[in-house]
Amino acid sequence: MLSRKIIDELTAVLGKENVLTEKEELACYSFDATADMPQSMPDVFVTPTCTEEVQKVVEIASKNKVPVYTRGSGTNLSGGTIPLKNGIVMGMVKMNKILEIDAENLNAVVQPGVIIQDLNDAVAKHGLIYPPDPGTVKTATMGGSVAECSGGLRGLKYGVTKDYVMGLEVVLANGKVMRCGGKTVKNVTAYDMVKLFVGSEGTLGIITEIIVKLIPAPETRKSFLASFKSLDDAANSITGIIASKVIPATLEIMDNATIKTVENYAHVGLPTDAEAILLIEVDGLPEVVAKEAQAVEKVCKENNGQLKVAETDEERDNLWTARRAALPALAQVSPTTVLEDATVPRSEIPKMLKALQEIAGKYDLKIGTFGHAGDGNLHPTILTDERNKEEMERVHKAVDEIFDAALKLGGTLSGEHGIGMAKMKYLENEFKEAGVEALRSIKKALDPENILNPGKIIDLEG
Amino acid sequence: MLSRKIIDELTAVLGKENVLTEKEELACYSFDATADMPQSMPDVFVTPTCTEEVQKVVEIASKNKVPVYTRGSGTNLSGGTIPLKNGIVMGMVKMNKILEIDAENLNAVVQPGVIIQDLNDAVAKHGLIYPPDPGTVKTATMGGSVAECSGGLRGLKYGVTKDYVMGLEVVLANGKVMRCGGKTVKNVTAYDMVKLFVGSEGTLGIITEIIVKLIPAPETRKSFLASFKSLDDAANSITGIIASKVIPATLEIMDNATIKTVENYAHVGLPTDAEAILLIEVDGLPEVVAKEAQAVEKVCKENNGQLKVAETDEERDNLWTARRAALPALAQVSPTTVLEDATVPRSEIPKMLKALQEIAGKYDLKIGTFGHAGDGNLHPTILTDERNKEEMERVHKAVDEIFDAALKLGGTLSGEHGIGMAKMKYLENEFKEAGVEALRSIKKALDPENILNPGKIIDLEG
């Protein structure tokens, strides 16, 4: 518990309306969107309204060695925002202004509490887009999404969040503010602190302002649904499309378990007898789209795919609604949905899919798999029930094996969800001892007292 | 001077042929491509042939607290490879194998000594390109270019080196090897160590293996020369092209001083009476190129530009030969060429060009300016003579003001050359005290004894 004195100090800085201490209020911040994680109550929830207030909160925290857990909408999927060691949860939702849209230089300056979709709506008026689009684009904040380095459906062609963050203002663990990067397309002045803070999950500094790159909106786009009787055919189509030098904006896969569940939930006419479907979108100038669409059709047909083109906007919307429904649909089937983001080089997708089937069989679990096939980022989703202790033991063993399989195939622990609490125990499997030591030294360098989101990514006591 | 014992240890590890100690041999490594820098002799020059040998060299260096200056071809332009505090210069040129071209996953694995152009030649057979293309593409090594985060002519559309490095093997200051990143398109496992090492100029670790992203080669391209009677017209064309949603592969500018010098040197038919020229290339599918070319023509004509299209390959080659001749041509005019890479947001180019003219006038100096206008990365080039002490004083004052001007316009100290020794004194102007402290803490975390390229980027004693 925090002393009354600290609460009073926080209240003096932020005003009463920005300091919550009632149990019922705090309970909302004791968990996040991640399943199968412990809950932990914060001592206080604060909502600063400007950088100076963030600084003062951090100064108070630093002076009293109290943890600060920074939080946007809490949509992350690795337990990143759970206040494991209690202390202060700092909600950034009141710093939610779009400060500038600089269409001439193709960038925007935003506060961390801006919702991703709101930014996209604002820049659409200038014919521009901000490409990163995590599934939670309508609820997630820019700050959270930068701290987690969100991926999304367009990663293959457009990259992920880190590819769009040009500059940051960050409050450091010592309460000082630093700026790095800026509005220039090129910047190699000293170490790339921007990219270091992106994806650092609030453990190295608190993001208070973000400069993001924008790009011209594609003029047109074309979406397909390709159904396959075998996983191999689907997988070969994925590599075939890339081999034909087409980089689709989106190239998603769903396995049979996911198809059935989604169809049952969303009724959009998915082929429930298909072993796998691919959802593909190409975009750009009309001439490019026509040419790439042709190539996509050719590859899918060569691999025994049944192709359906979305002829109208409504049909297109249906397709993508189906894709975005994958997680909620799977989540409805069972009380607990353990969603992973094991990621492998694209060519290893067939092997990874096979490994997932084997793991499901071995531990007698229901695993639905969908995800960003084009960039090798799969979402094996285990449908289970937290209350069933025996089954959860099997789930945990299966998760261990999923990550083992991904690493063995030259993959990574996390394509887009981050490490948070959920994957800390696997970190050394990927980074080995020397790498973990290096990561730890970075954390110690920027947060020597371990007050920023302690207990995430890397264990300083370890 | 290193003791005989250390030389013997190095020789035992590397063999005689990889340990040079003669003065005449060492002199070659006492400087690099940067003008107006001090020379400094290494005590020994070593050429490891594998990662284990690099490890052993670093272990010896660490044990004896001897500096290690890692070096590729020494083409950097910020004094990055000068062995300021003597010690060991480690040349990576013998680790020059392309280990793998993985066309299916669009990547390649190379050792640091591979010449950039050699990688491009090898991947061209697969219809792929490695886009970063510094002016020294035919001599610079991949390792040096990753350590410096090279930019080049295609940065606007294709990004710079950091955008293409997916994974690294690095020998740390403690002699241990770590790997980070890999062959997956998405990777958010812990801190982005890959991007931290890219551009760290050999001060945080020694790169021993690099996984780079490749992209399909553009099918076709079209190049233009646009001449303008005023700098403003040229600048307005730059922003006009981007505003019309065309992102050219290359968008270069040359001012009148540069045009005249290049024409005098290369005789390619540049309009010596133009106040500025733009060299523009659009690339991609033929349909896209046609459309974008039309847009470029329209914008240039609206801004009173005279347009010349390269109709043949020869004409195109002439244009880009002219551009690549800018630096050597300017360098021929005077004994010393001080080349800077002040970078501003694109929209500020007119103001930056004006500032450069004023600075040239104020200090009575000849400054030719050319560079990557599309990404705001200008190369003001001061033509001078190191032996003229009085003039060099004016040069140094002018350089100070050039960086001041860039920062005031929201720019950065370095778009693509890095900080090295040359720009250390300006670092705090951009990063401020809190930022410099953070940079220093990172350096101390990964190289606590300051043996890796000491005296560059950040002064640990400071």
Side-chain angles (χ1 to χ4, degrees), chain B residues 201-244:
Chain B
E201 305 184 15
T203 65
L204 300 181
I206 295 165
I207 295 164
T208 48
E209 201 177 296
I210 307 161
I211 305 176
V212 291
K213 178 174 144 182
L214 306 171
I215 62 169
E219 272 188 32
T220 182
R221 52 201 182 182
K222 195 164 194 174
S223 300
F224 305 86
L225 166 70
S227 334
F228 298 88
K229 292 263 175 270
S230 91
L231 273 178
D232 277 346
D233 282 342
N236 289 335
S237 299
I238 295 165
T239 48
I241 289 168
I242 309 292
S244 70

Side-chain angles (χ1 to χ4, degrees), chain B residues 71-75 92-98 110-123 130 132 134-145 210 212:
Chain B
R71 180 185 178 107
S73 301
T75 54
M92 303 303 278
V93 287
K94 290 192 181 173
M95 291 177 66
N96 61 353
K97 282 182 212 62
I98 296 175
V110 302
Q111 290 187 317
V114 169
I115 302 295
I116 306 174
Q117 184 66 50
D118 291 345
L119 173 62
N120 256 319
D121 291 345
V123 303
Y130 170 69
T136 50
V137 68
K138 288 181 186 167
T139 41
T141 63
M142 288 296 295
S145 144
I210 307 161
V212 291

Side-chain angles (χ1 to χ4, degrees), chain A residues 102-107 126-128 148-156 160 162-163 172 174 176-193 195-201 203-204 213 216-217 219 239 242-243 245-247 285-289 291-292 341 343-348 372 374-377 410-419 427 430-443 445-446 456-458, chain B residues 102-107 126-128 148-156 160 162-163 172 174 176-193 195-201 203-204 213 216-217 219 239 242-243 245-247 285-289 291-292 341 343-348 372 374-377 410-419 427 430-443 445-446 456-458:
Chain A
D102 180 352
E104 201 176 1
N105 288 305
L106 297 181
N107 62 53
H126 303 268
L128 300 171
E148 295 288 323
C149 190
S150 305
L153 273 67
R154 292 192 286 211
L156 175 58
V160 296
K162 73 175 107 180
D163 301 308
L172 299 167
N174 57 14
K176 293 183 187 171
V177 183
M178 77 172 278
R179 296 192 75 99
C180 45
K183 282 186 166 193
T184 60
V185 176
K186 286 178 176 168
N187 182 324
V188 294
T189 297
Y191 308 138
D192 193 340
M193 297 300 286
K195 296 290 192 286
L196 185 61
F197 287 118
V198 176
S200 67
E201 305 185 15
T203 66
L204 300 182
K213 178 175 144 180
E219 271 188 32
T239 47
I242 309 292
K245 309 275 185 274
V246 173
I247 311 283
L285 292 176
E287 298 85 350
V288 178
V289 168
K291 208 161 177 173
E292 293 192 342
D341 69 327
T343 302
V344 294
R346 190 184 306 118
S347 62
E348 304 297 333
H372 320 301
D375 46 35
N377 179 198
T412 178
L413 297 172
S414 180
E416 56 183 19
H417 295 171
I419 298 300
L427 194 60
E430 179 161 343
F431 266 96
K432 311 300 174 204
E433 203 195 318
V436 170
E437 242 177 68
L439 291 170
R440 189 174 288 132
S441 75
I442 299 286
K443 166 71 175 171
L446 291 178
K456 312 300 170 65
I457 298 186
I458 188 122
Chain B
D102 180 351
E104 203 176 0
N105 288 306
L106 298 180
N107 61 53
H126 302 268
L128 299 171
E148 295 288 322
C149 189
S150 306
L153 273 66
R154 291 192 287 211
L156 174 59
V160 297
K162 72 174 109 183
D163 300 309
L172 299 167
N174 58 14
K176 292 183 188 171
V177 182
M178 77 172 278
R179 297 191 73 99
C180 45
K183 281 185 166 194
T184 61
V185 176
K186 286 178 176 170
N187 182 325
V188 295
T189 298
Y191 308 138
D192 194 338
M193 297 300 285
K195 296 290 194 284
L196 185 61
F197 288 118
V198 176
S200 67
E201 305 184 15
T203 65
L204 300 181
K213 178 174 144 182
E219 272 188 32
T239 48
I242 309 292
K245 309 274 185 276
V246 172
I247 311 282
L285 292 176
E287 297 84 350
V288 178
V289 168
K291 208 160 176 174
E292 293 192 342
D341 69 328
T343 301
V344 294
R346 190 186 305 118
S347 62
E348 303 298 332
H372 320 301
D375 46 33
N377 180 198
T412 179
L413 296 172
S414 179
E416 57 182 18
H417 295 169
I419 297 300
L427 195 60
E430 179 161 343
F431 266 95
K432 312 299 175 204
E433 202 193 322
V436 170
E437 244 176 67
L439 291 169
R440 189 174 287 131
S441 75
I442 300 286
K443 166 72 174 171
L446 291 178
K456 311 299 170 66
I457 298 185
I458 189 123

Side-chain angles (χ1 to χ4, degrees), chain B residues 277-290:
Chain B
I277 58 172
L278 296 180
L279 298 169
I280 309 162
E281 185 163 283
V282 291
D283 69 6
L285 292 176
E287 297 84 350
V288 178
V289 168

